[in-house]
């Protein structure tokens, strides 16, 4: 089943015409159409045909014969911290607050070079798990670190993923009652100026954009009320989305009760942080009133089941959120709390944890895949462009090879993907360009990047003493 990689490698990150034939195609369109012997045609960066049976003739197109394969929309990652790729494996048995206090002194040593290396490694690894679009929440901005946002943006362009980085921030240090050390927080005016600069320089609102910016103060326990209010005004004046952590742990619930006299969700609504332009990471500890608030205001959630389990934070009320009409996508979260950062595994873990909480009908295999595709696209406001395989949408797709010992004999290809081990990728396409072929990233040298990541990890840990 080897793909013809010679032309792929030579044309890496360039766009050509393709037709994928003979595969099981899961479109994730409005009717959730599937084709058991289907085809997908791509012209430039756009899907031009999807259907059942032998594909029509597309003169000049490259043919990818894919019998026994599954074609899905590219997966959408709605929450990440790419800089953490070079700090994996630390504080492996800690709670969230213990984990943060252990890692903040190490993260304080990052600079633009370290962020570029970490982002390149993290983005390439994401691509190998079917991810075509990813966010990043970067909130550690040390003084004299260089341009850490440019560093990760150039890494995304190099790897070739569609990128939604969020300009994160912290201004509530330990001396003022916050969790992060004072030396890793910024001043309010510097944050607002820096955030406006990132938006002005990088945000591309065009329909086929590869790069969009969002505004993302870190969390209720690391930012001031003034920062939340003023960043919301800045984001809405700039026409960009808003993102933050919320309701991840019971510690956060206690923190908000003590300092603000309310729940985390009540606090967010008080400071203007709810609405269809807002999405929260985690949203684990929500009462019925909080879920109703999200549904009523159109606020979305990034469900991060692996990280929540790794840190012992709890299990989100996924079924209840969906039943209420809340938009949910999946997130791998930071690599320091999810060393695998496999986006396809998040679909599996979302399903397993929902069923552990609510029984075997709590989440189906197709709903789990939906969260990772069209669900994530909705979270980012891009459901009209990505997240499903439909004519006119952008050519972001994954071709999973199920012709393996681990997958042959599994009756349902979607169950094979969601419940089985992660299949190799025959092809990953982003904006019509090949990023992965035959389970190898075509845009970077994986071995060189791995070596760079190992070196950056040791340098950063040594710097922290």
């Amino acid at each position: 089943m080897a793909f013809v990689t010679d032309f792929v490698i030579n044309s890496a990150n360039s766009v050509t015409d393709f037709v994928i034939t003979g595969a099981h195609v899961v479109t994730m369109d409005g009717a959730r159409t599937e084709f058991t012997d289907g085809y997908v045609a791509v012209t430039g960066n756009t899907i031009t045909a999807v259907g059942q049976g032998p594909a029509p003739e597309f003169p000049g197109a490259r043919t990818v014969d894919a019998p026994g394969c599954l074609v899905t929309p590219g997966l959408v990652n709605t929450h990440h911290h790419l800089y953490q790729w070079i700090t994996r494996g630390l504080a492996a048995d800690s709670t969230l607050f213990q984990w943060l206090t252990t890692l903040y002194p190490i993260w304080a040593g990052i600079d633009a070079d370290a962020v570029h290396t970490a982002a390149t490694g993290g983005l390439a690894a994401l691509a190998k798990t079917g991810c075509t679009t990813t966010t990043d929440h970067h909130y550690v901005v040390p003084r004299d670190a260089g341009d850490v946002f440019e560093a990760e943006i150039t890494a995304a362009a190099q790897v070739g993923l569609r990128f939604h980085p969020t300009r994160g921030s912290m201004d509530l240090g330990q001396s003022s009652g916050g969790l992060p050390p004072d030396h890793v927080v910024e001043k309010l005016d510097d944050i607002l100026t820096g955030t406006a600069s990132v938006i002005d320089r990088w945000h591309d609102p065009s329909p086929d954009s590869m790069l969009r910016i969002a505004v993302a103060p870190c969390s209720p326990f690391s930012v001031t009320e003034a920062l939340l209010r003023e960043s919301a005004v800045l984001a809405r004046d700039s026409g960009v989305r808003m993102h933050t952590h919320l309701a991840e742990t019971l510690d956060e619930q206690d923190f908000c009760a003590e300092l603000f006299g309310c729940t985390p969700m009540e606090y967010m609504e008080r400071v203007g942080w709810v609405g269809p332009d807002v999405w929260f990471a985690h949203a684990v500890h929500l009462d019925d009133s909080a879920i109703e608030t999200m549904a009523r205001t159109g606020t979305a959630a990034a469900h991060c089941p692996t990280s929540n389990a790794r840190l012992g934070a709890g299990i989100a009320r996924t079924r209840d959120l969906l039943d209420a009409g809340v938009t949910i996508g999946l997130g791998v979260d930071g690599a320091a709390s999810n060393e695998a950062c496999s986006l396809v595994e998040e679909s599996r873990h979302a399903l397993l944890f929902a069923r552990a909480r609510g029984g075997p009908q709590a989440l189906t295999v197709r709903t789990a895949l939906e969260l990772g595709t069209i669900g994530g696209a909705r979270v980012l406001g891009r459901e009209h462009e990505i997240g499903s395989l439909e004519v006119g949408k952008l050519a972001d797709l994954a071709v999973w090879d199920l012709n393996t010992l681990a997958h042959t004999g599994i009756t349902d290809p979607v169950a094979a993907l969601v419940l089985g081990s992660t299949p190799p990728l025959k092809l990953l396409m982003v904006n019509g360009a090949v990023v992965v072929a035959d389970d190898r990233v075509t845009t970077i040298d994986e071995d060189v990047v791995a070596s760079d990541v190992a070196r950056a990890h040791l340098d950063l840990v040594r710097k922290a003493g």
Side-chain angles (χ1 to χ4, degrees):
M1 292 300 295
F3 190 31
V4 183
T5 56
D6 53 349
F7 76 83
V8 174
I9 292 171
N10 292 333
S11 63
N13 225 20
S14 65
V15 176
T16 188
D17 296 345
F18 287 87
V19 56
I20 301 160
T21 65
H24 187 109
V25 179
V26 177
T27 67
M28 284 295 164
D29 64 7
R32 299 297 184 262
T33 308
E34 297 185 25
F35 301 107
T36 56
D37 179 15
Y39 62 86
V40 180
V42 171
T43 301
N45 71 343
T46 305
I47 297 170
T48 51
V50 184
Q52 174 74 20
E57 290 293 325
F58 295 95
R62 304 284 188 175
T63 298
V64 180
D65 293 319
C69 293
L70 172 67
V71 183
T72 69
L75 304 185
V76 180
N77 180 32
T78 60
H79 186 62
H80 206 350
H81 307 292
L82 285 166
Y83 73 93
Q84 293 180 12
W85 191 257
I86 55 173
T87 60
R88 290 180 294 165
L90 301 169
D93 304 309
S94 298
T95 66
L96 173 66
F97 278 24
Q98 292 168 343
W99 176 85
L100 284 170
T101 54
T102 299
L103 285 162
Y104 273 138
I106 298 173
W107 294 337
I110 63 171
D111 58 20
D113 288 340
V115 169
H116 184 271
T117 297
T120 303
L123 290 161
L126 271 178
K128 295 187 71 169
T129 71
C131 179
T132 53
T133 297
T134 186
T135 60
D136 186 58
H137 188 182
H138 190 99
Y139 55 84
V140 180
V141 188
R143 299 176 185 87
D144 303 318
D147 193 334
V148 293
F149 298 100
E150 180 180 47
E152 65 172 6
I153 286 168
T154 56
Q158 180 183 3
V159 175
L161 295 195
R162 203 176 297 280
F163 198 34
H164 282 235
T166 69
R167 205 299 185 177
S169 54
M170 299 186 293
D171 72 335
L172 187 67
Q174 287 177 340
S175 64
S176 301
L179 187 66
D182 288 348
H183 61 276
V184 298
V185 302
E186 299 175 89
K187 295 180 180 179
L188 174 59
D189 289 344
D190 291 341
I191 291 170
L192 296 173
T193 300
T195 302
S197 175
V198 170
I199 295 169
D200 292 343
R201 184 178 180 189
W202 298 110
H203 182 64
D204 176 9
S206 63
D208 61 352
S209 173
M210 292 289 289
L211 180 61
R212 291 187 182 175
I213 306 298
V215 175
C218 184
S219 64
F221 50 82
S222 61
V223 303
T224 62
E225 181 175 334
L227 174 56
L228 286 170
R229 291 186 182 277
E230 294 193 37
S231 63
V233 172
L234 172 62
R236 287 171 174 143
D237 286 348
S238 303
V240 301
R241 300 179 86 77
M242 299 155 56
H243 181 51
T244 191
H245 299 92
L246 195 76
E248 185 174 0
T249 67
L250 290 172
D251 289 335
E252 179 185 322
Q253 188 169 290
D254 295 341
F255 181 92
C256 289
E258 182 177 347
L259 266 70
F260 312 126
C262 61
T263 68
M265 187 64 68
E266 289 168 340
Y267 180 57
M268 287 293 108
E269 188 165 26
R270 179 192 302 173
V271 298
W273 265 78
V274 293
D277 55 352
V278 178
W279 86 100
F280 297 135
H282 305 297
V284 175
H285 297 283
L286 302 178
D287 58 19
D288 291 345
S289 175
I291 292 176
E292 188 279 330
T293 297
M294 293 185 70
R296 169 173 49 83
T297 60
T299 307
H303 179 32
C304 306
T306 304
S307 175
N308 295 156
R310 202 271 208 191
L311 293 170
I315 300 175
R317 296 173 61 184
T318 311
R319 184 70 263 165
D320 293 338
L321 286 160
L322 290 171
D323 289 344
V326 176
T327 296
I328 304 178
L330 297 178
V332 299
D333 200 12
S337 64
N338 178 4
E339 280 72 7
C341 283
S342 169
L343 192 49
V344 71
E345 283 188 2
E346 296 306 320
S347 289
R348 180 183 310 119
H349 292 164
L351 177 147
L352 294 176
F353 297 156
R355 291 185 179 189
R357 183 178 189 121
Q361 278 77 50
L363 212 65
T364 69
V365 292
R366 280 165 175 76
T367 301
L369 182 58
E370 180 180 327
L371 297 182
T373 52
I374 192 66
R378 287 196 185 107
V379 168
L380 301 183
R382 302 201 68 172
E383 66 271 26
H384 300 298
E385 304 155 66
I386 61 174
S388 63
L389 304 179
E390 300 181 71
V391 172
K393 282 200 167 185
L394 298 172
D396 292 8
L397 58 86
V399 182
W400 307 90
D401 189 353
L402 303 181
N403 296 285
T404 71
L405 177 63
H407 302 94
T408 53
I410 299 179
T411 300
D412 179 359
V414 179
L417 175 66
V418 174
L419 297 178
S421 59
T422 300
L425 274 172
K426 186 180 181 72
L427 177 70
L428 185 77
M429 186 176 290
V430 183
N431 210 43
V434 173
V435 174
V436 177
D438 288 335
D439 219 34
R440 294 285 293 183
V441 181
T442 65
T443 51
I444 52 93
D445 186 319
E446 292 186 28
D447 296 332
V448 170
V449 172
S451 178
D452 291 344
V453 166
R455 187 181 310 109
H457 169 82
L458 290 175
D459 289 346
L460 193 59
V461 172
R462 286 169 181 158
K463 185 187 295 187

